[in-house]
Amino acid sequence: MSDPLNLTATIGGRLVAPALPTVDSSPSPPSELLFDESLTAYISHNVPLESTEGIQRRERVLMKMASLCREWVKSVARKRGWGEDMVDRAGGELFTSGSYRLGVHEPGADIDTIVVAPNICTRDDFFGSNYIPPNALASDDAASASRDPASLAERIRLHPDVTNFVPVENAAVPILTFDWEGINIDLLFARLNASTVPPNFDIDRDSVLSGVDSATEKSLNGPRVTNLIAALVSGTKQRYQTFLTVVRLIRKWAKSRGLYSNKMGYWGGVNINIAVALTLQLYPNACPASLLRKFFLVFKSWRWPNPIMLTKPHDAELGLPVWNALQATSMRQVAPMITPAYPAMNSTLSVSRQTLQILHEEFCRGHNVVDKLYKDFVKGDISKKDDVESGDIWKELFQPSDFFIGYPHYLSLCIVGPSQADAQAWAGFVESRLRKLVSDMLGRSLPLSKIQLWPKKFDACVADRAALLTHVQRANSITYFIGFRVDTLRMRGNQLDIERQLSNFRNFELSKFYPLVPGMDVLPRTFAVKELPKICFEGMYEGGKIAAMKRRRLLIEADPKRQEAKAKKKLAKLKKKMEAIQQRKAQSAVKNKDENEEAIMKEELDESLLESRKRKRDDDDAEGEDANPGGDEEEAALLESALDKIQDDSGAVHKTREEAEMDRQKLLAGLEWDEDEDEDAGVKADEETEDVKMNQSERKSTLQEREAEILRRSGLVIVSDDEATLVGGNRILPWRQGYRSSVNAVKREQGGNDVTDKEHQPVMKPRVAIKFKTQFDIVELDANGRVIDKGDDDYMPSAKWIGRKGGFEYKLGERGLGYYRTGKKVVVPSNISYA
């Protein structure tokens, strides 16, 4: 048995070591082992494995596919004129990657495969493209629609056990997707720079990438990354089983919470594998329940945009680009996750600031749920013991997402096509571009506080009836939903116009599809939360739309901000009543009644104050327990030390913990930044600081400089004649910020009423008198707001021609049309010329 603390692995003739140090290598305590038994019970009932019959059927299908691929390679070799000996040695191998290669056998899961062929096989041989049939002269249509019957694509399509065959030839990584005996299979093609592929071919060696094209490099990267992940977590059999268990749980959690889709901007299968493997490297001897809790803790605390990496990237010097933290493109990546195999690349390029915000919220929620479950289990505070034994206590973690009840507004995108084949190709292309619409166009250019794309499609058409779609288009359509929340403080006006963004999406993204057939379209439609169709709630919420709306009401009522606003509103009403009673008491002669009312109101006021203080105290206690529970301080410190190491080893500029946390909060809050600008600004700021220090040491500041410094410290903006002509340009004017609608929106969020006409009085700031010691020139402005030049000894303006002046010349210059002193140099404006 290998050393349980030895986390290195030898693969492809190279020794691979973890990038991060171990945080805690101690085994799980007895309490966590008992807690793990409950998780095991939940897995046995809710996370089923593939049956033995299903596993055998998958192995049988893969054997048939491997035999078919080898026969295809031999047929290509014969077509090239090779002898039978060379044909037999040509080879050809079929590899698997992803969840099937790791052993995460889930019922209904697809199989990612790749056929590795020698250099005699081309992509045209694989797809059967550019084939001219014998009867091409008789029928041009037959020539354009035919594929080579000897190609691998056509052999698979004509197999009796194959259905739903879809070739995607024009993608960056060409692929065949089909169902073989009901098992969904994705088949990639890799063409090596070698004449043969022997049976003992080692795909993990870096030399196999020598001389290959970009598509082959990406295709080979799938099984190479999967094999390296499996090697890094296979120190012991128990550790590997823990890895597989947690991977299955995280996949189920991500799918139920709407986070499982790499092309939509979230995490895919390889990202989950890397993330769980990294957690296992930090806690190598943890049981599944403990590792699941640590998973959420690690990525809740991760210092984005620091990269996630299992091992440090290495360069095999084959000319392929390797990910580097100091590259300009890498500095702009939001949440990089680096693949461990050569060439190292970022597997989460599609993750944007908006999707990272959603991922972080879900990591925080997952950690709160699992941590609370563990603490209640240790304290014995779980009321239903049967739920512990059956594992039902874990259902809260895997609850369906509240996406369809969590936003006030929704946008549906209905993707339609003129036929089933065209609709499938068109839908696949649009799906790969949706994240650009959500993150780059809508998320950046509109006043939205949050936007989220639901990654699961609906096989239905919810487009408006006025769209005039045919029956075939509505039958061959799918729909995606986008939820968003408007930032009322940034909103100008009462309507949100997204027509320009949708038009740009059509013109600059969707227009790249070829061939674009008439009838292909994307139809948008907006919904309020209560107007969503019933298909959105079926299968997600038990009880359908009615139960979902009830749950939405409960979530709104349980919102702490809403409860606090209601408590403040109640206190304000009680105070007003107390003031009214005191006024009546001073004017009225009937004292007994007022005293009784006053005593009742005082009791209610005291009860409300006590309740508010108790709620605040309970919240503070809960925050204190969640932030630093008894034994978690040491664990958090160890994790922070590990994060310090990966930040120092990344090669980027050194940052303290406070600076890293500030960058993470800035990123999650939606404040965009440019690393190049920040770096240049930092260098310039340092240089300016040094210059200021040198100048201050050499001379004393003048009176004007001291006065300007006083004004800057007071918060005023100092504008010189050379810097700007529009004073006050940094101020948001009332008619641009929608003062009244913003105030009403804030009051509605706090549970209050809208501002009335009498109450609508803008807040007047106290006037401040500023006395200047320096006399300023008084200027006059014309109707366009430009300064009227009064002239001086060298220039005399003239509104009209009045003849000659001694010592002056009438001409056009930098200061306009007028009289300039003879002999003085006149600069003509760059946009005007005259003879």
Side-chain angles (χ1 to χ4, degrees):
M1 180 179 296
S2 60
D3 186 1
L5 295 180
N6 183 17
L7 302 179
T8 61
T10 302
I11 183 170
R14 187 171 64 91
L15 183 65
V16 182
L20 279 177
T22 301
V23 174
D24 186 7
S25 60
S26 60
S28 300
S31 59
E32 289 187 343
L33 294 177
L34 291 174
F35 188 53
D36 185 66
E37 294 179 0
S38 176
L39 180 61
T40 304
Y42 176 83
I43 294 174
S44 62
H45 292 93
N46 299 277
V47 191
L49 286 171
E50 183 79 47
S51 62
T52 305
E53 181 182 355
I55 295 175
Q56 292 176 353
R57 185 172 73 252
R58 290 172 179 266
E59 293 176 352
R60 183 175 63 251
V61 168
L62 290 176
M63 291 178 63
K64 292 181 180 179
M65 283 186 58
S67 176
L68 186 63
C69 292
R70 283 190 289 269
E71 290 297 328
W72 166 70
V73 173
K74 290 180 180 180
S75 67
V76 175
R78 292 189 182 98
K79 187 167 61 175
R80 299 289 189 271
W82 285 21
E84 285 300 322
D85 293 341
M86 292 294 295
V87 168
D88 294 336
R89 288 199 300 258
E93 294 295 325
L94 184 71
F95 293 90
T96 59
S97 64
S99 59
Y100 181 83
R101 163 63 183 85
L102 291 174
V104 186
H105 299 294
E106 295 179 350
D110 60 350
I111 303 178
D112 298 322
T113 59
I114 172 174
V115 55
V116 179
N119 54 10
I120 59 171
C121 300
T122 64
R123 188 163 288 110
D124 289 341
D125 296 325
F126 180 75
F127 283 99
S129 307
N130 302 325
Y131 173 69
I132 302 177
N135 57 350
L137 298 176
S139 174
D140 293 340
D141 295 338
S144 60
S146 299
R147 290 184 180 271
D148 187 356
S151 65
L152 183 60
E154 197 68 8
R155 289 168 184 255
I156 293 175
R157 187 184 70 84
L158 297 177
H159 196 279
D161 296 331
V162 172
T163 57
N164 299 326
F165 178 83
V166 178
V168 184
E169 189 173 355
N170 296 325
V173 182
I175 186 175
L176 295 177
T177 63
F178 51 90
D179 293 341
W180 193 312
E181 295 187 15
I183 301 173
N184 183 253
I185 294 177
D186 295 337
L187 179 62
L188 302 177
F189 171 70
R191 180 174 179 259
L192 297 183
N193 187 21
S195 59
T196 61
V197 181
N200 59 349
F201 174 72
D202 188 1
I203 197 174
D204 297 318
R205 289 193 173 274
D206 297 336
S207 58
V208 303
L209 298 175
S210 176
V212 300
D213 56 15
S214 176
T216 298
E217 171 201 338
K218 293 181 174 61
S219 300
L220 291 173
N221 199 38
R224 284 167 54 82
V225 168
T226 306
N227 294 344
L228 189 50
I229 293 174
L232 287 171
V233 298
S234 300
T236 64
K237 184 178 180 180
Q238 182 180 1
R239 187 183 303 160
Y240 190 72
Q241 290 300 322
T242 300
F243 168 76
L244 294 182
T245 301
V246 178
V247 165
R248 290 166 55 205
L249 291 170
I250 295 300
R251 287 165 64 96
K252 179 178 176 60
W253 166 79
K255 290 177 181 179
S256 61
R257 303 300 298 178
L259 307 174
Y260 191 81
S261 178
N262 185 269
K263 67 179 178 181
M264 298 296 179
Y266 302 102
W267 279 8
V270 65
N271 307 128
I272 291 176
N273 298 338
I274 294 175
V276 176
L278 176 70
T279 311
L280 190 63
Q281 287 181 344
L282 299 178
Y283 307 93
N285 294 325
C287 63
S290 177
L291 192 67
L292 182 63
R293 185 164 63 95
K294 307 294 186 185
F295 172 87
F296 291 114
L297 174 63
V298 168
F299 294 103
K300 167 191 172 183
S301 309
W302 195 264
R303 298 175 187 172
W304 311 107
N306 285 342
I308 298 171
M309 56 178 67
L310 297 179
T311 183
K312 294 181 180 179
H314 84 287
D315 192 355
E317 299 182 354
L318 295 177
L320 300 178
V322 179
W323 187 90
N324 188 349
L326 299 180
Q327 293 175 348
T329 54
S330 302
M331 291 181 179
R332 297 185 180 91
Q333 294 168 4
V334 175
M337 183 178 291
I338 312 306
T339 56
Y342 173 82
M345 61 183 68
N346 182 13
S347 61
T348 53
L349 275 174
S350 59
V351 175
S352 63
R353 195 268 308 166
Q354 290 81 8
T355 54
L356 177 61
Q357 178 186 7
I358 296 166
L359 286 168
H360 183 261
E361 291 176 357
E362 291 295 338
F363 290 144
C364 293
R365 174 193 173 272
H367 179 260
N368 292 336
V369 171
V370 179
D371 197 52
K372 185 177 182 301
L373 282 178
Y374 176 65
K375 291 176 180 177
D376 292 344
F377 178 82
V378 173
K379 295 178 182 178
D381 292 343
I382 301 178
S383 58
K384 297 182 179 180
K385 301 298 181 182
D386 294 340
D387 291 347
V388 178
E389 296 178 358
S390 62
D392 291 341
I393 58 175
W394 292 91
K395 286 185 177 180
E396 182 181 0
L397 177 64
F398 303 96
Q399 276 185 351
S401 173
D402 294 326
F403 171 80
F404 288 104
I405 58 177
Y407 293 93
H409 309 286
Y410 292 87
L411 173 68
S412 69
L413 297 174
C414 188
I415 306 171
V416 300
S419 64
Q420 183 177 5
D422 291 336
Q424 286 180 346
W426 171 244
F429 178 82
V430 176
E431 288 171 352
S432 64
R433 264 65 177 179
L434 281 181
R435 59 183 175 84
K436 293 186 178 182
L437 170 66
V438 175
S439 299
D440 298 343
M441 298 182 181
L442 298 178
R444 290 186 179 181
S445 60
L446 295 179
L448 305 178
S449 60
K450 189 177 180 182
I451 184 169
Q452 181 178 358
L453 168 64
W454 186 248
K456 299 179 182 179
K457 63 183 179 181
F458 292 88
D459 294 327
C461 181
V462 298
D464 197 345
R465 296 185 181 276
L468 301 177
L469 296 176
T470 64
H471 177 73
V472 177
Q473 285 179 311
R474 290 188 178 274
N476 299 316
S477 63
I478 60 174
T479 302
Y480 284 91
F481 285 89
I482 303 169
F484 59 93
R485 188 176 292 114
V486 179
D487 188 352
T488 54
L489 297 179
R490 295 164 52 203
M491 182 72 177
R492 292 183 291 179
N494 298 323
Q495 292 184 349
L496 188 68
D497 187 8
I498 62 173
E499 185 60 34
R500 182 172 63 87
Q501 286 77 13
L502 292 175
S503 177
N504 292 339
F505 181 61
R506 289 191 179 95
N507 296 334
F508 298 111
E509 294 295 335
L510 301 186
S511 60
K512 298 177 182 178
F513 181 78
Y514 180 83
L516 192 60
V517 180
M520 294 180 177
D521 202 354
V522 178
L523 305 175
R525 183 180 178 184
T526 57
F527 294 89
V529 61
K530 295 184 179 180
E531 299 172 351
L532 287 172
K534 294 182 179 180
I535 59 171
C536 299
F537 306 94
E538 296 174 355
M540 286 190 62
Y541 303 96
E542 187 176 354
K545 185 174 181 178
I546 297 176
M549 291 298 109
K550 290 181 180 179
R551 175 171 172 77
R552 177 174 177 269
R553 173 54 56 186
L554 292 177
L555 292 176
I556 293 175
E557 295 295 337
D559 187 5
K561 293 183 179 180
R562 184 180 179 85
Q563 291 180 354
E564 187 67 22
K566 290 175 68 176
K568 289 181 179 179
K569 184 178 179 181
K570 185 177 180 180
L571 286 174
K573 287 184 178 180
L574 291 174
K575 289 179 180 179
K576 287 183 179 179
K577 289 183 180 179
M578 288 291 295
E579 293 174 359
I581 290 174
Q582 290 176 357
Q583 291 178 0
R584 289 200 306 269
K585 180 179 179 182
Q587 299 175 359
S588 176
V590 184
K591 298 182 179 180
N592 295 332
K593 183 177 180 181
D594 290 344
E595 290 177 356
N596 294 335
E597 291 182 359
E598 184 178 359
I600 294 172
M601 297 305 297
K602 280 184 177 181
E603 290 179 1
E604 293 183 0
L605 181 60
D606 293 340
E607 290 178 359
S608 298
L609 289 173
L610 289 174
E611 183 181 353
S612 178
R613 290 171 182 169
K614 183 177 180 301
R615 186 186 303 110
K616 189 175 185 303
R617 186 166 58 251
D618 293 342
D619 293 341
D620 293 341
D621 294 341
E623 290 178 1
E625 292 178 1
D626 292 339
N628 291 309
D632 290 348
E633 293 183 357
E634 183 179 356
E635 177 183 340
L638 292 173
L639 180 59
E640 289 295 332
S641 300
L643 296 179
D644 287 339
K645 186 177 187 305
I646 192 171
Q647 182 171 313
D648 295 338
D649 294 344
S650 62
V653 180
H654 175 74
K655 296 180 181 178
T656 62
R657 291 185 181 182
E658 292 75 13
E659 292 173 342
E661 178 64 21
M662 187 179 299
D663 287 346
R664 186 179 75 141
Q665 295 298 335
K666 177 181 177 182
L667 182 61
L668 295 174
L671 300 177
E672 302 290 344
W673 84 97
D674 192 331
E675 293 287 349
D676 295 338
E677 293 180 1
D678 288 348
E679 185 177 355
D680 296 341
V683 174
K684 291 180 181 178
D686 294 339
E687 294 176 354
E688 291 175 0
T689 304
E690 295 296 331
D691 294 340
V692 170
K693 290 181 179 179
M694 293 176 60
N695 293 335
Q696 288 179 350
S697 62
E698 294 175 359
R699 62 174 179 83
K700 294 183 179 179
S701 59
T702 62
L703 177 62
Q704 289 82 0
E705 291 174 348
R706 291 198 298 271
E707 291 175 351
E709 183 63 25
I710 293 173
L711 293 177
R712 289 191 184 95
R713 292 179 180 177
S714 302
L716 300 178
V717 180
I718 309 300
V719 181
S720 65
D721 296 337
D722 298 332
E723 291 175 341
T725 57
L726 180 62
V727 180
N730 59 336
R731 180 185 176 190
I732 301 177
L733 302 177
W735 59 81
R736 294 185 64 186
Q737 63 183 357
Y739 174 81
R740 185 168 180 177
S741 61
S742 300
V743 173
N744 290 338
V746 173
K747 283 186 170 291
R748 283 195 295 270
E749 290 182 358
Q750 296 177 352
N753 298 323
D754 291 351
V755 178
T756 61
D757 293 334
K758 294 182 179 180
E759 295 174 347
H760 178 55
Q761 296 293 337
V763 179
M764 300 299 295
K765 296 182 179 180
R767 295 189 176 184
V768 180
I770 301 176
K771 297 182 179 180
F772 295 95
K773 296 180 181 179
T774 306
Q775 285 293 103
F776 293 95
D777 293 334
I778 299 176
V779 298
E780 294 184 11
L781 305 178
D782 59 10
N784 297 323
R786 300 182 180 275
V787 178
I788 299 176
D789 198 336
K790 293 292 186 178
D792 49 33
D793 294 339
D794 295 326
Y795 170 73
M796 299 178 63
S798 176
K800 59 182 179 179
W801 176 266
I802 58 175
R804 295 182 177 272
K805 284 185 178 293
F808 287 85
E809 293 179 319
Y810 184 79
K811 61 179 68 176
L812 175 66
E814 187 179 34
R815 299 172 69 173
L817 195 64
Y819 294 93
Y820 294 83
R821 184 172 293 279
T822 305
K824 291 290 182 180
K825 185 179 180 179
V826 177
V827 180
V828 180
S830 61
N831 59 340
I832 299 176
S833 61
Y834 66 97

